[in-house]
Amino acid sequence: MHRWSKLFIPTLREAPADAEVASHKFLLRSGYIRQLGAGIYNYLPLGQRSLNKIIAIVREEMDKIGQEFYLPGILPKELWVESGRWSVMGENMFRLKDRKGAELCLGMTHEEIVTSMARSELRSYKQLPQIWYQIQTKFRDEPRPKAGLLRVRQFMMKDSYSFDINMAGLDKSYDLHDATYRHIFTRCGLKFVAVEADSGAMGGSRSQEFMVYTDAGEDLIASCPVCGYAANLDKAVSRLEPLDEMVATGGGMPELVATPGCAAIADVAAFFKISPASDIKCVAYMALKRGTGAKKGGTEDTWHGVATFLRGDHQVNEIKLLGAIGASEARTMQAEELTQYMNAPAGYLGPVALDPEKNPLGEGLTVVVDKSLEGRRNMVCGANKLDYHLRNVTPGRDFDWTLLADIRSVNEGEACPTVGENGVNCSGKLVVGKAVEVGHIFKLGYKYTESMGARVLDENGKEVMPIMGCYGIGIERILTAAIESSNDANGFWLPASIAPFTVVVSVTNTADTALRETGERLAEELETEGLDVLLDDRDERAGVKFKDADLVGIPYRINVGKKAATGQAELVTRQTSSSVDVALSEVAVLVKEKVREELLLGEA
RNA sequence: CGGGGAGUGGCUCAGCCUGGUAGAGCACCUGGUUCGGGACCAGGGGGUCGGAGGUUCAAAUCCUCUCUCCCCGACCA
């Protein structure tokens, strides 16, 4: 039996000033964690117990579909050079040298490692499929760690990797993970949504994120309340309503108009008395193209000018932009660069008379036009001349581009993009909300098996590349998300499945021997029933024990106090702060019943 | 990396502008009184004021450099 008096649970009355988000404050105040450096934390006994419970659930579910490995956290450079990611990962990768000067890195993900294992061990289609997983510490030198355990530089991840003989096999492995993740998050008591996601640096064709809505989250999700469509804002699309075009003036061809001082979209719209939707906005970027890696004859990283054009009321989504042009980084142009590439000042940039590069990221200017401009007519845009705009501008007729692509973020209130099987548009309007990512599954494809040369023989004896998937779960993020979604002024409550203890027995006055013994007996009884029980046997006033109990995330509390004289105790449910008097003899059974109900809900 | 803020006992902060004996509350230790929602009284311990250099008779305070942490923007579990 665990006694509060013996455990190290350093609760704080006040949160350190550094903490801003709820989970960060409460993790510190409840004695779950302590900070060691930016994005580096000590996990204290209570935090560790909770994380261990999460890990146990993850392991139990993953064992149903895969096999557990434990791969090293310190990795040789060579494998990463082979895949090309030694350079791609950039500064996010912790790098070090050994005593011989050989270069190593700390593992931030393990595709290279499992692929190296696969290529040396897998020989035949008969060995496929394989699903390999591990639960292990990852290291990522985040540019900006933040919000307690939400974004850190060292964290635990369940990562798994699937190898299949063909796409149908990958589909199956992917679906297995999809289903397994849903079980895991449900058992952890999370209310989550699965959304379409961008594949990012991982590469690959399809991916889905598992998100928990919370204002502390860093991701934006667009979702439709009608049909259930949900996607990361970096991926989400919408159906735009048709617009009334402006009536052409004069001969209907582009006309130069003096617009002194009208640099902002709002100014231009007001000047022409038009909606911002009829203005063409320009955002000019410098985009970074990474070298393709030493193995492929390696080139230097290079910067390229990219001009993007979209509706005045739309925002560029840089993730979409990077994906469209095949760049890995982008920043907006400086004034000198605007002069160099467009010979115009900010506020008056326009697409007319530019000379678009044929291929993205060539020597000249890459011009990317958002799809929403396709088919539009008689718009207003900058004239690439200070204090002048053009009107009657029609995309395609008056200017050309390198690339026409979806590069904008959808706005809340736009129409849901879903089209039913009967061809009818969904009637829903998109809503945008913040969320934290707790899991991510990818169809990787052949990226690693190809670059690293993994081959097996198929049933015809022909050499083929296995196809891969990769799948991650952030262990600490499950805890963080749970706290974010279940807290109040006094603390937080966790689902019984992941709480450090299921129930705390608070003896209101330990100086009273009879009371203390009653508490001891009750705690033993609860333990006999298989519950994880913590006995608060500290020589503290009742108020202190109640405050602490409310703070630390334990879902049930039993007060052993005055009423013990009449054979009763109080059972307090933390989530609702509701309390019922229960006969001492029935407490254990009742708590067990409540926990079982809760767990069954988790299974459903 | 760019922009903003902060480093003073374990925690929250005051003191800095205007240089002159380092403070408060909470926490901790001892004794006593208390004992169902973070008790009270008395006594006590604990800080080279992030670090280095400089100005000065004298620096927490002024100047320079530096380190660390937090927040806002580009990455991801």
Side-chain angles (χ1 to χ4, degrees):
Chain A
M1 184 202 309
H2 292 273
R3 294 164 189 277
W4 201 308
S5 64
K6 303 280 187 265
L7 291 186
F8 183 62
I9 308 176
T11 58
L12 300 173
R13 191 182 289 236
E14 290 170 284
D18 286 349
E20 291 215 341
V21 304
S23 63
H24 188 194
K25 282 183 191 163
F26 287 131
L27 283 166
L28 287 167
R29 283 192 57 201
S30 62
Y32 275 48
I33 64 170
R34 286 292 185 265
Q35 182 170 30
L36 193 60
I40 308 175
Y41 287 87
N42 297 321
Y43 299 161
L44 278 49
L46 236 38
Q48 179 66 2
R49 284 183 69 91
S50 178
L51 292 169
N52 278 340
K53 292 199 172 184
I54 293 168
I55 288 171
I57 291 171
V58 170
R59 177 171 284 131
E60 193 180 313
E61 293 298 328
M62 284 304 301
D63 275 338
K64 294 177 185 169
I65 66 167
Q67 308 152 72
E68 184 167 6
F69 281 56
Y70 188 76
L71 304 168
I74 184 165
L75 308 169
K77 170 184 181 180
E78 287 69 24
L79 290 174
W80 295 83
V81 172
E82 282 189 55
S83 71
R85 286 161 114 195
W86 184 257
S87 57
V88 170
M89 287 307 191
E91 304 220 286
N92 266 23
M93 182 181 258
F94 280 106
R95 296 159 204 261
L96 61 156
K97 285 185 183 170
D98 68 14
R99 58 172 68 205
K100 293 177 293 190
E103 292 183 89
L104 302 154
C105 66
L106 299 183
M108 50 196 299
T109 177
H110 282 72
E111 283 78 9
E112 281 79 357
I113 318 310
V114 292
T115 308
S116 82
M117 170 115 32
R119 77 175 163 195
S120 56
E121 306 292 339
L122 298 178
R123 288 284 161 265
S124 160
Y125 73 96
K126 292 177 189 167
Q127 294 171 290
L128 301 181
Q130 291 287 340
I131 291 176
W132 297 347
Y133 85 94
Q134 64 166 344
I135 298 165
Q136 191 226 30
T137 301
K138 297 283 186 269
F139 300 90
R140 297 184 183 178
D141 194 0
E142 292 289 338
R144 195 156 86 83
K146 59 186 274 203
L149 293 188
L150 212 55
R151 170 154 237 87
V152 289
R153 297 195 291 172
Q154 171 179 337
F155 62 97
M156 288 184 279
M157 179 157 86
K158 186 292 298 174
D159 48 324
S160 48
Y161 307 89
S162 64
F163 294 89
D164 281 281
I165 192 67
N166 56 29
M167 184 53 95
L170 174 58
D171 287 345
K172 197 173 168 199
S173 294
Y174 184 89
D175 291 344
L176 280 174
H177 277 87
D178 186 358
T180 296
Y181 276 34
R182 288 169 194 271
H183 286 140
I184 289 170
F185 298 132
T186 303
R187 285 185 62 184
C188 291
L190 296 180
K191 288 201 183 90
F192 63 93
V193 286
V195 306
E196 282 179 44
D198 180 72
S199 305
M202 292 294 179
S205 55
R206 172 152 187 239
S207 82
Q208 187 171 284
E209 289 168 333
F210 293 85
M211 315 290 294
V212 177
Y213 281 106
T214 157
D215 279 340
E218 301 177 273
D219 289 87
L220 290 171
I221 310 272
S223 60
C224 171
V226 174
C227 71
Y229 168 81
N232 193 300
L233 206 65
D234 296 334
K235 185 83 176 180
V237 294
S238 67
R239 183 160 38 80
L240 291 173
E241 308 295 343
L243 290 166
D244 292 333
E245 298 291 2
M246 294 168 65
V247 177
T249 55
M253 293 307 283
E255 241 175 48
L256 200 61
V257 181
T259 53
C262 294
I265 301 285
D267 300 335
V268 177
F271 182 92
F272 287 97
K273 297 187 175 59
I274 58 172
S275 151
S278 291
D279 187 26
I280 297 177
K281 152 161 115 180
C282 175
V283 187
Y285 290 93
M286 294 303 295
L288 181 70
K289 182 163 81 173
R290 293 231 185 258
T292 47
K295 200 182 178 192
K296 292 177 179 171
T299 48
E300 292 294 301
D301 296 349
T302 46
W303 287 94
H304 304 263
V306 178
T308 65
F309 295 96
L310 62 167
R311 256 167 59 167
D313 58 335
H314 288 166
Q315 303 292 320
V316 176
N317 184 298
E318 294 187 9
I319 301 292
K320 286 184 176 180
L321 174 64
L322 293 175
I325 61 180
S328 57
E329 255 178 62
R331 59 166 177 81
T332 50
M333 281 191 188
Q334 312 280 318
E336 342 35 295
E337 289 159 342
L338 287 173
T339 306
Q340 178 194 340
Y341 282 95
M342 307 192 65
N343 195 28
Y348 301 92
L349 302 171
V352 177
L354 292 177
D355 182 19
E357 178 71 31
K358 281 218 174 80
N359 299 308
L361 305 187
E363 293 298 312
L365 182 68
T366 302
V367 176
V368 185
V369 170
D370 184 67
K371 271 187 176 163
S372 63
L373 294 185
E374 194 175 22
R376 298 290 308 279
R377 302 193 333 270
N378 304 332
M379 301 183 75
V380 167
C381 68
N384 290 330
K385 182 176 176 186
L386 183 63
D387 290 339
Y388 282 92
H389 279 76
L390 293 171
R391 65 179 163 198
N392 300 334
V393 173
T394 294
R397 181 191 70 182
D398 301 322
F399 64 89
D400 204 359
W401 49 75
T402 309
L403 209 58
L404 184 72
D406 172 31
I407 56 164
R408 72 178 182 96
S409 291
V410 302
N411 291 320
E412 187 158 80
E414 290 174 358
C416 171
T418 303
V419 179
E421 286 179 12
N422 51 8
V424 175
N425 290 329
C426 172
S427 62
K429 303 278 185 219
L430 295 180
V431 292
V432 176
K434 282 172 135 181
V436 58
E437 180 183 0
V438 292
H440 202 158
I441 58 180
F442 293 88
K443 287 185 182 176
L444 268 183
Y446 300 104
K447 177 172 172 173
Y448 297 94
T449 44
E450 179 178 23
S451 63
M452 299 183 63
R455 305 284 186 273
V456 296
L457 296 182
D458 69 10
E459 50 198 344
N460 303 314
K462 194 181 141 208
E463 195 171 68
V464 298
M465 285 185 286
I467 186 164
M468 285 178 69
C470 72
Y471 319 87
I473 289 179
I475 301 295
E476 290 92 334
R477 284 217 179 148
I478 292 180
L479 174 60
T480 311
I483 296 174
E484 284 296 334
S485 41
S486 304
N487 67 80
D488 59 22
N490 295 321
F492 61 99
W493 53 95
L494 292 172
S497 58
I498 65 171
F501 292 97
T502 313
V503 56
V504 52
V505 176
S506 300
V507 178
T508 57
N509 184 357
T510 45
D512 182 332
T513 312
L515 216 52
R516 199 180 63 225
E517 285 173 357
T518 303
E520 297 259 351
R521 268 201 310 279
L522 188 57
E524 270 168 34
E525 215 178 305
L526 287 158
E527 200 159 65
T528 309
E529 289 292 331
L531 295 163
D532 233 336
V533 52
L534 175 61
L535 175 66
D536 192 347
D537 60 341
R538 291 176 297 170
D539 180 19
E540 290 284 356
R541 295 163 65 87
V544 172
K545 296 185 183 185
F546 294 162
K547 287 286 184 187
D548 271 344
D550 284 347
L551 175 62
V552 300
I554 301 175
Y556 299 103
R557 177 173 98 228
I558 297 165
N559 294 337
V560 176
K562 292 173 187 164
K563 295 170 189 163
T566 59
Q568 291 199 309
E570 288 162 357
L571 172 56
V572 182
T573 303
R574 175 64 182 85
Q575 175 171 7
T576 53
S577 295
S578 58
S579 152
V580 288
D581 293 345
V582 183
L584 282 166
S585 56
E586 291 167 17
V587 169
V589 175
L590 183 57
V591 173
K592 194 175 179 185
E593 184 54 33
K594 277 179 163 282
V595 169
R596 184 160 56 199
E597 279 173 21
E598 192 184 318
L599 295 180
L600 284 175
L601 282 177
E603 296 288 344

